[in-house]
Amino acid sequence: MSVNKEVKRVTTHTLQKMKAAGEKISMLTAYDYSFARIIDGAGVEVILVGDSASNVMAGHETTLPITLDQMIYHASSVIRGIERCFVVVDLPFGSYQSNSEIALASAVRIMKETGAHAVKMEGGEEVIDSIKKIVSAGIPVMGHLGLIPQSIYKFGTYEVRAKEEKEADKLRRDALLLQEAGCFAVVLEKIPAELAAEVSANLAIPSIGIGAGNGCDGQVLVMHDMLGINTEFKPRFLRRYLNIHEQATRAVQQYIKDVKSGDFPNLQEQY
Ligand code: KIV
């Protein structure tokens, strides 16, 4: 999409100012051009090209199988659909955990090949060297703490994280480490609302919650879940704004009926 000079683009600076002003940040996932256009046009500040594409676009059970090449494909499609959103792309599993050189190389590929504005990485202390390396190359990094789906086989469950004091303390420390390492924001996923509110209040950078209560500086949902494209996933934190699955099923059934009865196409729908 060509750059419209009239449109004020969202930047890390915008997000920082929103936190300072107490204005909540809205973030949604997108994985393709058409939905990115809708979300950008609707006024969301941040689009996350999440590795949840592995689940909702490719039908995998976890986020682990998606590759860097596939994330690049999704992110470059999203970028062609936006005019003003700030676009963050997940570094997929295996593209940053081994060492900071590999992490930087993966982040550089995302930035160069997609035109995205930032990357997101899961974890705290364990990935801090890689975060520092990427930030020092001038690439904005969003952190991600709490339930980190790339570690699902370590956790063994998608239950709420950091309910125990030991894990909550690590999360408090990790959030500050991410801030010191230069992250511009941090996602807090599926942790107690009280802990998320405390961590958010102690951070100068914005927190974006998912299943982390109302005390975060912003919220994120997976687009397929909030639009009801996906109906199997029903966690307590999810608010569903549409039931596209049901509406699309009805539309397709009507189309089949019209084709079979000969009603479609009619005289106005042919040449
Ligand atoms: O991949 C994703 O969609 C995410 C959000 C759930 C935060 O990481």
Side-chain angles (χ1 to χ4, degrees):
M1 192 166 267
S2 62
V3 176
N4 178 349
K5 298 240 167 53
E6 303 294 305
V7 172
K8 199 158 169 31
R9 284 182 167 266
V10 178
T11 65
T12 53
H13 189 59
T14 318
L15 304 176
Q16 191 60 58
K17 280 204 303 202
M18 287 176 76
K19 163 136 185 160
E23 188 186 340
K24 298 272 188 182
I25 297 164
S26 59
M27 174 158 122
L28 270 180
T29 67
Y31 319 96
D32 66 22
Y33 167 81
S34 300
F35 272 113
R37 278 194 76 182
I38 294 174
I39 292 172
D40 184 79
V44 154
E45 281 90 20
V46 185
I47 287 184
L48 171 66
V49 184
D51 59 357
S52 48
S54 179
N55 310 106
V56 299
M57 298 300 286
H60 292 296
E61 201 179 315
T62 72
T63 57
L64 275 68
I66 199 158
T67 65
L68 186 56
D69 284 339
Q70 288 164 341
M71 289 303 296
I72 287 171
Y73 166 77
H74 287 297
S76 44
S77 307
V78 164
I79 285 291
R80 287 191 288 272
I82 62 116
E83 280 197 332
R84 40 161 296 285
C85 275
F86 187 75
V87 177
V88 182
V89 183
D90 262 332
L91 282 182
F93 177 67
S95 72
Y96 63 97
Q97 287 90 348
S98 41
N99 65 56
S100 59
E101 298 292 334
I102 290 177
L104 177 60
S106 302
V108 167
R109 277 201 66 198
I110 297 228
M111 301 299 282
K112 263 191 183 308
E113 295 178 39
T114 72
H117 312 125
V119 297
K120 176 163 83 59
M121 295 160 72
E122 296 184 4
E125 193 183 357
E126 313 74 25
V127 292
I128 214 74
D129 288 343
S130 297
I131 291 178
K132 284 183 184 160
K133 185 100 182 158
I134 295 171
V135 171
S136 68
I139 301 172
V141 176
M142 177 179 270
H144 185 159
L145 297 173
L147 177 64
I148 44 175
Q150 291 177 12
S151 300
I152 188 57
Y153 291 122
K154 182 166 115 188
F155 297 148
T157 160
Y158 285 101
E159 289 296 299
V160 177
R161 303 305 311 177
K163 285 200 288 196
E164 310 296 331
E165 208 42 40
K166 192 165 165 222
E167 195 179 332
D169 270 344
K170 175 167 163 39
L171 192 139
R172 289 183 183 98
R173 282 196 308 277
D174 279 344
L176 290 172
L177 276 178
L178 292 180
Q179 173 169 281
E180 280 159 25
C183 284
F184 70 92
V186 59
V187 167
L188 299 175
E189 179 163 355
K190 225 170 171 188
I191 61 171
E194 206 178 315
L195 175 63
E198 178 203 317
V199 168
S200 304
N202 286 332
L203 287 177
I205 57 171
S207 68
I208 310 287
I210 174 162
N214 206 13
C216 297
D217 303 302
Q219 298 292 327
V220 58
L221 284 175
V222 169
M223 178 198 71
H224 284 59
D225 300 334
M226 62 87 76
L227 292 182
I229 297 173
N230 223 6
T231 49
E232 303 88 52
F233 186 61
K234 299 177 187 152
R236 167 172 166 169
F237 68 76
L238 175 63
R239 186 177 294 179
R240 200 163 271 150
Y241 289 84
L242 268 183
N243 190 338
I244 289 189
H245 185 92
E246 206 176 286
Q247 288 171 297
T249 303
R250 269 195 261 114
V252 172
Q253 285 168 340
Q254 185 62 48
Y255 167 73
I256 297 167
K257 233 166 109 188
D258 292 350
V259 169
K260 304 243 179 235
S261 69
D263 179 76
F264 176 77
N266 62 26
L267 286 179
Q268 286 73 48
E269 291 161 333
Q270 64 191 23
Y271 300 98

